[in-house]
Amino acid sequence: MDRDEIWKGALTFCKKCLTDHQNNLCISFKNEEGLDAGAMKAEFSEMILEQIQLRLFEEREFSKIPVKDSSKGLLLKIAGLVIAHAIAQGGPSFGALSTAVYFHIAGQDSDSVLLHLKKSDVPLHADMMPCSGV
C-alpha cells in the first residue's frame, strides 16, 4: 500500500470484498520494511478512518453526519464496512455519529430516526439541495 494513495488502495480492496468475502487483509507499506503482525493493520485502519471522516462526513459540534451527495452511495456503503470491521476488531474508533444517523444505520424505522434528529444534524444548505425522490 502506498501511503500517498491510501484512499485509492483501500477502495480497491474494499470493492473486491463486496463480492469476494474470502479476502484477508495483510498490510505492507510501499518502500518500507516490516511484517504485518497487527501494527500495520491498525495504522492502516486509523488512516482510512481518517480519510472517511474527511471525505464522507460533515463535522457538527458533537457528532458527524454523512455528506448529502447521492453519488457517494457506494462509498458510504464501503465506509460502513470499514467502520464495522474496525469495531469488530477492537480497532480505532470512528468518532461520534449523531444519534439519528446511528438509529438509521441500525435499521430503525423512520419515526425512531426522526425522534432523535436534531436541528444541528441537518446541513445548513440542505434546503438548497435537490431532492432524490425519497
Side-chain angles (χ1 to χ4, degrees), residues 17-38:
C17 288
L18 289 174
T19 56
D20 179 7
H21 302 291
Q22 300 302 316
N23 284 321
N24 291 318
L25 181 62
C26 182
I27 297 294
S28 63
F29 291 107
K30 186 176 178 182
N31 299 324
E32 295 181 30
E33 290 186 33
L35 185 61
D36 187 7

Side-chain angles (χ1 to χ4, degrees), residues 28 40-41 49 60 98 105:
S28 63
M40 290 181 176
K41 200 177 299 182
L49 288 172
R60 295 288 181 246
S98 81
I105 291 171

Side-chain angles (χ1 to χ4, degrees), residues 58 60 65-69 117-132:
E58 295 180 15
R60 295 288 181 246
I65 61 170
V67 295
K68 184 169 173 98
D69 183 345
L117 189 64
K118 298 177 184 151
K119 186 176 179 178
S120 61
D121 292 333
V122 181
L124 295 175
H125 57 284
D127 60 332
M128 298 185 315
M129 296 180 154
C131 272
S132 63

